[in-house]
Amino acid sequence: MRLRDISKQLNSSLDARILVKHVTRLSDADLIGIDDLSLTESQHVQLQDFIKQRLDGRPVAKIIGYKEFYGRDFIVSDDVLDPRPDSEILIDVILERAKGRRGLSILELGVGSGCLVLTLLSELNASTAVAADISSQALGVARRNAQSLGLGDRISFVESNWFDNVQGQFDIIITNPPYINSDVIDELAADVREFDPILALDGGADGLNPYKVILPQIRTYMKHGGIMALEHGYDQCGRIKRLIENTGLSEIRDHQDLGGHDRVISAIHK
Ligand SMILES: C[S@@+](CC[C@H](N)C(=O)[O-])C[C@H]1O[C@@H](n2cnc3c(N)ncnc32)[C@H](O)[C@@H]1O
């Protein structure tokens, strides 16, 4: 089999390369100049199966079982949202606002794979975290990621409907809740609609249900000087900012993703 034939078949050289690298354990450098992949019989069978799954619409990350986020690999399964490159802006925002501070306590609501909170724990020395999700399956995936990144002793997990089972006050609160309007879920691209869990997508009639529950309570769970950052849909910034203005938080800022869309809002509890 040849890489360029697989790229043509999948209509994506990136997807082809990721699948081939996973099956062969070759690196990008190894693949330079290779024409025929010279696969073993079992590699051939596995690659054919992966190509079929991709042609059936399954996202690459869900096929190989992991996705890179902020330079680290995160295990993913059908129970969690695939980490999105656009969410990396939330990490940059927190690192900028928390510059020079260490030993911080972090809360994430709706942890999914754990890509956000585990990235922050990796980047912020001596910090600890509590991670909440309503899905016990998602918490299982986040736990595995914490172990594989060597962060298991700095994070605890709680099954919770937003703040319901959360205790304490935190230096940092982050959330990337489901924010798609219920009535547009059916119109999403098939690889999102069919392979990301509905619990990670559906934000209710106007997509804002989670923010309407989380934001009125958020200040109670923040320490003075605490920072909060949340991700939202590209057209929700104005409406969510108004919800945040009612919380009494200060220095409310909006931040854009790689495509220039409004994506994250941050604020502090003075
Ligand atoms: C959009 S995903 C984000 C996952 C991960 N934080 C990320 O950025 O990739 C939203 C997460 O919120 C969780 N969730 C949905 N409703 C929830 C609720 N009522 N309470 C807590 N978590 C909830 C979902 O299970 C899902 O893991």
Side-chain angles (χ1 to χ4, degrees):
M1 281 174 114
R2 296 186 314 170
L3 184 55
R4 72 179 102 139
D5 294 334
I6 303 169
S7 303
K8 252 192 232 155
Q9 213 180 338
L10 296 181
N11 202 16
S12 163
S13 54
L14 179 63
D15 288 0
R17 191 168 278 273
I18 296 173
L19 295 180
V20 165
K21 283 197 307 186
H22 182 79
V23 168
T24 60
R25 306 282 163 202
L26 294 172
S27 67
D28 281 315
D30 295 332
L31 284 171
I32 293 171
I34 290 187
D35 190 33
D36 186 349
L37 291 169
S38 309
L39 302 174
T40 64
E41 178 60 25
S42 68
Q43 287 174 332
H44 185 85
V45 170
Q46 190 181 31
L47 192 53
Q48 289 291 9
D49 173 50
F50 282 4
I51 291 168
K52 179 172 182 317
Q53 288 188 54
R54 185 69 197 110
L55 290 172
D56 288 344
R58 195 166 169 79
V60 169
K62 295 264 155 78
I63 297 172
I64 62 175
Y66 58 87
K67 171 112 184 234
E68 199 230 277
F69 182 82
Y70 219 85
R72 298 176 185 86
D73 283 340
F74 288 85
I75 299 161
V76 296
S77 75
D78 291 342
D79 298 310
V80 297
L81 186 88
D82 280 359
R84 304 290 206 264
D86 282 337
S87 302
E88 293 189 343
I89 181 69
L90 186 146
I91 304 293
D92 291 335
V93 165
I94 293 288
L95 295 182
E96 178 59 30
R97 291 200 90 148
K99 212 180 224 164
R101 296 173 65 181
R102 61 194 309 281
L104 300 172
S105 57
I106 306 169
L107 169 67
E108 178 169 11
L109 298 175
V111 69
S113 66
C115 63
L116 296 178
V117 71
L118 294 171
T119 299
L120 286 180
L121 279 185
S122 305
E123 299 286 332
L124 290 168
N125 283 341
S127 297
T128 56
V130 173
D133 205 291
I134 202 166
S135 156
S136 58
Q137 291 90 340
L139 289 168
V141 175
R143 244 189 222 107
R144 285 173 61 203
N145 278 316
Q147 294 302 338
S148 80
L149 292 167
L151 297 168
D153 56 348
R154 287 167 56 197
I155 186 164
S156 59
F157 296 92
V158 55
E159 193 172 324
S160 179
N161 179 11
W162 303 132
F163 285 112
D164 285 0
N165 299 327
V166 173
Q167 283 169 355
Q169 288 187 311
F170 300 86
D171 295 299
I172 296 172
I173 299 183
I174 55 168
T175 187
N176 172 19
Y179 54 66
I180 314 278
N181 295 13
S182 304
D183 61 359
V184 302
I185 301 267
D186 284 347
E187 295 159 25
L188 295 175
D191 57 354
V192 175
R193 190 184 64 233
E194 288 171 22
F195 296 98
D196 280 321
I198 190 75
L199 254 182
L201 301 175
D202 192 344
D206 61 359
L208 300 183
N209 282 2
Y211 307 98
K212 291 178 189 163
V213 176
I214 293 169
L215 286 171
Q217 307 176 65
I218 200 163
R219 203 162 72 125
T220 320
Y221 291 87
M222 292 172 75
K223 290 186 187 168
H224 285 282
I227 307 160
M228 78 96 200
L230 54 80
E231 182 172 327
H232 59 77
Y234 71 94
D235 57 352
Q236 296 170 331
C237 181
R239 287 174 288 159
I240 295 175
K241 259 186 164 170
R242 280 191 286 284
L243 292 174
I244 298 177
E245 278 156 14
N246 293 332
T247 63
L249 295 179
S250 313
E251 294 183 27
I252 303 168
R253 295 182 191 153
D254 52 81
H255 312 270
Q256 287 66 45
D257 63 22
L258 304 169
H261 299 113
D262 291 329
R263 186 61 63 193
V264 168
I265 304 178
S266 66
I268 62 165
H269 179 18
K270 275 209 168 146

